[in-house]
Amino acid sequence: MPSYKDMTVLIVDDFATMRRIIRNILRDLEFKKILEAEDGTAAVDILKTQKVDLIISDWNMPKMTGLELLKWVRSNEETKDLPFLMVTAEAQKENVIEAVKAKVSNYIVKPFTAQTLAEKIEKILPKD
Amino acid sequence: MGSPDKQSKQDLLDRLATSVIAGVDDLMGMGECLNVLDELESVGVDDKEKAEIDKLRKLLNRLILEESPDPDRDWQEVQQAIRNLCEGTATMPTESEIPLDSDEQKQPVEETPSADEQPGGEVVAESSVEEDEAVQEPEYMPVEDPELFKDFLDEAREHLGSIELNMISLEQNPEDKEVINAVFRPFHSIKGVAGFLNLTDIHELSHDVENLLDGARSGEFPVTEAIIDIVLQAVDILKEQLDLLEDGLSKGEIQYKGDPRVRQFLKYIRNFDPTKGHPPVTVPKVGEILVEKGIVEEDHVDKAAEEAKKEGLKIGEKLVKEGAVQPQDVTLAIREQKKLKETATSIRVDTQKLDNLVDMIGELVIAQSMVLQNPEVQKIRDQKFQKDIVQLRRITGELQRISTSLRMVPIKSTFQKMIRLVRDLSRKSGKEVVLKMYGEETEIDRNMVDQIYEPLVHMIRNAVDHGIEPPEERVKAGKPPQGTIVLSAEQKSGNIVIDIRDDGRGLNAEKIRQKAIERGLITPDEELDERTIYELIFRPGFSTKEEVTDVSGRGVGMDVVKKCVEELRGKIEVESTPGQGSHFQLKLPLTMAIIDGMIIRVGEERYVVPTVSLKESVRPAEEDYCTVQGRGEMINVRGSLMPLVRLHELFDVKPKYTNPWDALLLVVSEDGRNYCLLADEIIGRQEVVIKSLGSLMKNVQGISGGAILGDGKVALIIDVKGIVNFFEGKNK
């Protein structure tokens, strides 16, 4: 198991309960530094000032969607290689393929178990 | 990252060859591969390559979506396909060992919540429709993390509140994707969390509504009233569910599944066909408005709309770019569209109901004055009472004002029909005519809208047919070949004034005179001024154009127009300058329901004379009275003789005065002639609500209706034209 103790995760979701659910799972996975943003624009503000190791973002959000955030992250020199996990309930082909083409690291479909989230994170986070 | 520049095919193939997909989990590598495939296709590939690319894309999609029945085999095929492409050894690819297009490969989107399809997600209980039938009893589960549920309750309620707000704007803009999305999103979020919390009922309900809205969002079907109803109903049910949840939290056990109401509603949604039904409101497109205004042709707009779509432009932008319309035309059309959208928020009310309401308010005002004029009431000297009366009067006054305005509608719809008319007429007659319109927003009594249509059509027809000259004649006269007709409306001192101006040849006084003599309307020796001659065109059976044209036809003349206008208690006047054009002016009352009247008394009876027809009132001296041979009694008013009309004789009542010099005379004008009506006295001036006398007394000459006066008694409203005609007939 990789150690996630020193990594910073950014959870982006407009639904606070959803952020809380993800945060609880991450705590169990021994993540210590967890940041939250309620939409893409708030996430961008955080990304501009803080070092983040993993982004877990919802797709459908007001102001700036998860896909837009992903595109911003990938086009920005500082953040372009950041692991980006897209949370989506829109398990429609075009949507996920669109995210993959925009270089999403991986995606996870709501609702997911703690185990699934752990597996997805393991797949995209470089192991020590 | 691929450069945005178009790369050569070889570069792309090189990129494909060197790009390494680390394995079935390397989504980024697959994404890069998919991007290269897109680019490859855009630079051009042959059929074999195309087939290989398609196959590769399908394999990759299947791997990405974790739908592959055998990922390892697919993965090998992916590598083989890439090699085939890069080495140019692409032959027509053999069908993949695992079929790519079979139905079972397709992502289930309908029926079962797709979110449940995630492999490994054992948490959510799957429930299909069949299962729904079986589950009748609500099921309960213990609560593990009440804090989380409480958070969810608060947030879900907040979201439901936002849905209701957004529904209002959705109803107004059913096509606005942004608004649909704003309604969609909360359902989506609620569904997501409810899934985690195992709240099956809430999860499924929000999922189904989300699906419905997703269809609307992607334009599969329009947002109909039925859909709006479903969404609002879903919000209500969800609120109930949240209340139930809160209730359950306090008991430590929550109902999560099997609520009969939710089940029933789900059944309804699943059987609902969103493609049926119509959008609640339809607002014409900008292009349609432009066509209606006659600025561009319909075919042109259709074509431009198609091209605009391809170019990602708005129709207005496209048309301006083409030079087909002026930017201000588009702005005006957009503004008009906005206005139509605003009016779209109104509700439809049966006109009968509206008329009843206006009538009853009229009655209320009258009942009020009956009470207030009651001598017993007038004796009350209490200050508070006086103050309250003022307040009551103000309220009823305002009520009356509003009720009248309820029936007012913009004259625009009538005006807009003229655009089409002018276009058709000018095409038929070979004349070039432009119609300009002003004051379309002027409001007019709804009951009058239909009735002014005919007169307007006649006058516009006349203007095109008789007024505007053919282009060559206009050029000879030094005018632009294109004739102009200006149609305008405005509200002026309690009247609606409609002007129709043309810049044609104007009325020919001599020709009208000749025609009138021919028709026996006047005698050759009658000396008439120009104005009086113009008025002749309103006489029955008058037409200046020799030949019958397709446009004006025969037998329909300005007399019909005049009659229509007078039925509306309006007036029509004409002015003309030879060679410069004519100007017809229609003056109509604001409403058909109320007239401004002078209340007069004849004997014991009271009558209302519309102030429009009233010129003045006089008290003649005895020497002003005379009798003229063959014309009866006359009154000399400042040098001109006017026939005396004894109202008491016409109505058979016993007057107070029979001598004109004791009584009061009302000077009225009809057909350019003045008459003196004999009355006892003027009681006052008042706005009265016109009441029909019923079908039995509909056609009593000289009476246009009745009005209830302040004391509750009825006064007849005098129709001056009828009185005069009756009087003239009697004299002959």
Side-chain angles (χ1 to χ4, degrees):
Chain A
M1 274 295 276
S3 165
Y4 297 133
K5 255 180 253 168
D6 302 322
M7 290 192 172
T8 310
V9 190
L10 174 60
I11 307 173
V12 193
D13 198 307
D14 57 325
F15 214 68
T17 320
M18 194 65 219
R19 296 201 297 269
R20 188 177 170 143
I21 289 170
I22 297 177
R23 196 176 55 209
N24 287 349
I25 299 176
L26 292 178
R27 286 242 168 87
D28 291 342
L29 293 174
E30 298 191 313
F31 277 98
K32 295 279 180 273
K33 294 178 202 156
I34 300 167
L35 303 171
E36 292 183 20
E38 56 179 31
D39 62 48
T41 48
V44 166
D45 288 342
I46 291 175
L47 289 169
K48 278 176 180 165
T49 53
Q50 298 195 45
K51 190 188 162 291
V52 170
D53 300 295
L54 168 67
I55 301 170
I56 301 177
S57 172
D58 188 31
W59 187 304
N60 197 326
M61 294 180 291
K63 287 190 206 164
M64 189 180 189
T65 65
L67 185 65
E68 284 163 348
L69 175 65
L70 170 64
K71 284 178 177 166
W72 183 87
V73 166
R74 291 290 178 251
S75 64
N76 190 352
E77 191 55 38
E78 301 282 307
T79 56
K80 69 178 167 54
D81 296 321
L82 260 183
F84 194 113
L85 180 65
M86 185 77 85
V87 181
T88 174
E90 308 178 29
Q92 286 169 349
K93 283 183 183 164
E94 312 88 286
N95 282 344
V96 172
I97 300 298
E98 210 181 329
V100 169
K101 283 183 177 177
K103 305 289 172 66
V104 78
S105 310
N106 215 320
Y107 70 97
I108 185 164
V109 179
K110 278 192 283 191
F112 44 81
T113 56
Q115 197 198 338
T116 317
L117 183 61
E119 282 169 9
K120 292 279 180 181
I121 291 174
E122 204 175 321
K123 275 180 189 172
I124 59 176
L125 268 192
K127 294 179 186 176
D128 293 334
Chain B
M1 294 291 288
S3 102
D5 298 329
K6 224 178 190 183
Q7 303 177 33
S8 76
K9 194 167 162 185
Q10 195 50 54
D11 287 345
L12 286 167
L13 287 173
D14 288 348
R15 240 174 83 199
L16 191 63
T18 51
S19 76
V20 180
I21 304 177
V24 282
D25 286 334
D26 183 12
L27 293 192
M28 286 174 83
M30 295 195 215
E32 169 69 10
C33 182
L34 281 171
N35 287 336
V36 176
L37 291 182
D38 285 352
E39 284 179 59
L40 254 179
E41 222 169 24
S42 72
V43 297
V45 286
D46 61 33
D47 286 351
K48 285 176 198 160
E49 287 166 325
K50 174 85 176 76
E52 197 76 59
I53 287 173
D54 283 347
K55 180 183 164 192
L56 188 48
R57 203 181 264 142
K58 274 180 190 158
L59 285 166
L60 285 170
N61 283 3
R62 181 153 93 177
L63 282 170
I64 290 170
L65 296 171
E66 298 179 347
E67 288 169 0
S68 172
D70 187 347
D72 290 339
R73 180 165 277 168
D74 273 7
W75 173 234
Q76 281 167 17
E77 284 197 38
V78 164
Q79 287 171 311
Q80 185 57 46
I82 291 176
R83 268 197 301 277
N84 287 348
L85 267 174
C86 296
E87 289 160 16
T89 52
T91 51
M92 270 319 224
T94 47
E95 190 57 33
S96 166
E97 289 177 43
I98 304 157
L100 288 162
D101 288 314
S102 72
D103 279 348
E104 58 186 33
Q105 300 301 322
K106 287 209 171 123
Q107 180 82 349
V109 182
E110 312 289 326
E111 296 298 316
T112 42
S114 49
D116 293 350
E117 292 301 305
Q118 171 70 16
E122 313 93 330
V123 167
V124 173
E126 285 220 6
S127 63
S128 63
V129 183
E130 294 80 53
E131 202 179 324
D132 291 344
E133 309 288 345
V135 177
Q136 291 297 335
E137 289 299 309
E139 292 179 28
Y140 296 86
M141 65 177 180
V143 185
E144 276 164 17
D145 184 355
E147 279 304 306
L148 198 56
F149 280 93
K150 271 179 196 147
D151 274 6
F152 170 68
L153 270 180
D154 288 346
E155 214 171 359
R157 281 185 177 139
E158 200 180 299
H159 278 270
L160 289 176
S162 82
I163 291 174
E164 282 180 326
L165 274 182
N166 280 316
M167 285 315 280
I168 300 168
S169 41
L170 182 60
E171 211 152 347
Q172 285 161 13
N173 310 297
E175 281 162 41
D176 192 327
K177 296 273 177 316
E178 262 310 299
V179 183
I180 300 177
N181 200 30
V183 177
F184 170 88
R185 201 179 300 119
F187 278 110
H188 174 78
S189 302
I190 289 172
K191 169 194 142 183
V193 179
F196 277 103
L197 298 178
N198 265 354
L199 299 166
T200 312
D201 279 349
I202 296 178
H203 178 242
E204 280 188 45
L205 181 55
S206 38
H207 172 80
D208 278 25
V209 177
E210 182 193 331
N211 259 0
L212 194 64
L213 287 168
D214 194 38
R217 195 173 58 157
S218 55
E220 278 169 42
F221 42 80
V223 176
T224 55
E225 268 172 26
I227 292 181
I228 288 175
D229 285 349
I230 285 182
V231 173
L232 288 175
Q233 218 178 324
V235 170
D236 286 346
I237 295 177
L238 283 175
K239 276 185 180 166
E240 280 173 23
Q241 288 295 310
L242 293 177
D243 290 345
L244 266 178
L245 180 62
E246 192 169 31
D247 210 35
L249 279 177
S250 59
K251 293 178 193 150
E253 194 181 55
I254 50 174
Q255 175 192 319
Y256 71 102
K257 174 177 182 180
D259 186 276
R261 189 141 180 232
V262 175
R263 293 291 123 192
Q264 199 188 351
F265 190 65
L266 282 175
K267 222 163 144 188
Y268 174 68
I269 299 185
R270 285 166 188 173
N271 290 325
F272 173 74
D273 183 358
T275 53
K276 283 182 187 148
H278 301 283
V281 282
T282 45
V283 176
K285 293 182 175 146
V286 171
E288 288 169 1
I289 294 173
L290 288 168
V291 172
E292 203 181 330
K293 282 189 169 254
I295 295 167
V296 279
E297 295 288 328
E298 201 173 332
D299 303 345
H300 192 134
V301 169
D302 290 346
K303 227 175 86 194
E306 237 170 69
E307 286 166 18
K309 216 176 200 175
K310 279 183 209 149
E311 294 168 32
L313 291 173
K314 296 211 163 156
I315 177 71
E317 292 168 356
K318 176 76 189 164
L319 286 170
V320 170
K321 216 170 141 196
E322 281 183 349
V325 298
Q326 295 297 311
Q328 57 262 41
D329 291 332
V330 177
T331 339
L332 280 176
I334 291 172
R335 209 171 291 159
E336 198 163 297
Q337 191 188 32
K338 223 179 243 167
K339 249 190 220 161
L340 287 171
K341 272 186 194 161
E342 279 163 15
T343 52
T345 63
S346 59
I347 56 160
R348 284 169 189 274
V349 178
D350 186 351
T351 42
Q352 190 57 50
K353 280 187 191 164
L354 206 56
D355 286 351
N356 286 346
L357 176 72
V358 175
D359 268 10
M360 290 321 288
I361 289 170
E363 302 279 5
L364 174 72
V365 174
I366 289 155
Q368 169 189 277
S369 40
M370 274 161 67
V371 172
L372 297 183
Q373 281 177 21
N374 185 317
E376 292 301 314
V377 172
Q378 283 182 330
K379 275 186 206 151
I380 303 171
R381 285 283 163 266
D382 179 46
Q383 258 203 338
K384 171 97 173 49
F385 178 72
Q386 298 296 340
K387 239 176 84 187
D388 291 347
I389 286 179
V390 173
Q391 172 77 351
L392 178 64
R393 278 216 174 99
R394 203 167 52 223
I395 294 169
T396 46
E398 182 71 0
L399 201 55
Q400 195 170 22
R401 198 188 57 73
I402 293 170
S403 71
T404 334
S405 76
L406 281 182
R407 282 207 296 216
M408 305 289 266
V409 293
I411 200 165
K412 177 193 236 137
S413 57
T414 312
F415 268 26
Q416 281 185 338
K417 292 182 188 150
M418 302 302 148
I419 300 167
R420 195 63 186 263
L421 180 73
V422 168
R423 212 170 50 193
D424 291 351
L425 289 178
S426 59
R427 204 173 287 160
K428 266 187 200 159
S429 63
K431 294 171 182 176
E432 294 169 37
V433 188
V434 186
L435 179 67
K436 288 187 178 161
M437 299 194 297
Y438 302 98
E440 297 148 278
E441 67 290 341
T442 308
E443 294 198 319
I444 180 167
D445 193 307
R446 212 222 142 265
N447 298 343
M448 283 163 80
V449 167
D450 297 333
Q451 295 182 59
I452 65 160
Y453 173 71
E454 282 288 309
L456 278 182
V457 168
H458 278 310
M459 282 187 285
I460 298 275
R461 278 190 164 167
N462 279 337
V464 176
D465 197 34
H466 306 303
I468 305 287
E469 313 90 328
E472 54 277 18
E473 196 181 321
R474 288 182 62 88
V475 173
K476 232 180 265 170
K479 294 195 224 179
Q482 213 168 37
T484 307
I485 295 175
V486 179
L487 183 59
S488 63
E490 63 176 321
Q491 194 176 326
K492 219 173 180 178
S493 57
N495 283 306
I496 301 285
V497 181
I498 298 172
D499 291 286
I500 299 135
R501 290 190 181 84
D502 68 65
D503 64 347
R505 51 171 83 94
L507 294 174
N508 184 331
E510 189 44 40
K511 216 168 163 187
I512 294 172
R513 210 181 110 87
Q514 288 302 325
K515 207 84 198 164
I517 294 168
E518 258 173 54
R519 308 254 162 181
L521 296 174
I522 52 166
T523 53
D525 50 323
E526 253 179 289
E527 288 288 327
L528 299 169
D529 60 31
E530 215 167 53
R531 219 191 155 79
T532 321
I533 293 175
Y534 291 156
E535 298 282 335
L536 288 172
I537 62 168
F538 295 118
R539 294 284 190 86
F542 190 93
S543 175
T544 48
K545 193 93 178 179
E546 283 84 3
E547 74 270 28
V548 179
T549 70
D550 185 25
V551 179
S552 284
R554 188 192 287 284
V556 192
M558 292 302 288
D559 59 315
V560 179
V561 172
K562 186 166 197 232
K563 206 169 149 247
C564 286
V565 173
E566 276 169 352
E567 269 168 21
L568 295 169
R569 283 192 288 280
K571 271 184 157 181
I572 181 162
E573 276 170 13
V574 60
E575 272 170 36
S576 181
T577 316
Q580 306 261 313
S582 316
H583 172 197
F584 288 86
Q585 188 172 65
L586 282 162
K587 255 191 210 158
L588 301 166
L590 270 183
T591 161
M592 298 282 291
I594 294 174
I595 54 163
D596 187 23
M598 200 65 85
I599 304 185
I600 58 164
R601 200 169 57 75
V602 182
E604 292 296 303
E605 294 295 325
R606 282 172 303 179
Y607 299 92
V608 180
V609 183
T611 35
V612 215
S613 349
L614 208 55
K615 284 187 112 174
E616 59 176 323
S617 64
V618 290
R619 278 187 191 281
E622 200 177 331
E623 58 268 28
D624 293 332
Y625 173 78
C626 58
T627 314
V628 175
Q629 188 63 42
R631 297 196 63 186
E633 295 173 298
M634 302 293 267
I635 301 291
N636 179 355
V637 180
R638 291 185 297 275
S640 56
L641 286 179
M642 303 174 189
L644 177 71
V645 181
R646 288 177 179 268
L647 288 178
H648 61 91
E649 284 181 8
L650 296 181
F651 291 119
D652 196 20
V653 291
K654 197 173 169 351
K656 194 171 175 191
Y657 309 109
T658 46
N659 291 329
W661 51 91
D662 295 327
L664 187 88
L665 299 180
L666 304 164
V667 179
V668 294
S669 143
E670 179 55 43
D671 262 339
R673 283 176 207 196
N674 293 326
Y675 297 84
C676 288
L677 307 183
L678 184 74
D680 287 345
E681 62 171 330
I682 289 181
I683 296 171
R685 184 174 172 171
Q686 189 185 328
E687 280 197 338
V688 294
V689 179
I690 302 165
K691 299 265 164 195
S692 148
L693 293 179
S695 51
L696 272 181
M697 297 175 61
K698 202 174 171 185
N699 293 319
V700 178
Q701 200 175 15
I703 300 294
S704 58
I708 302 171
L709 298 183
D711 58 3
K713 292 205 175 110
V714 174
L716 294 174
I717 299 167
I718 287 180
D719 165 30
V720 172
K721 190 182 165 71
I723 291 279
V724 166
N725 287 346
F726 185 65
F727 171 79
E728 293 284 355
K730 203 184 74 171
N731 265 17
K732 276 171 193 165

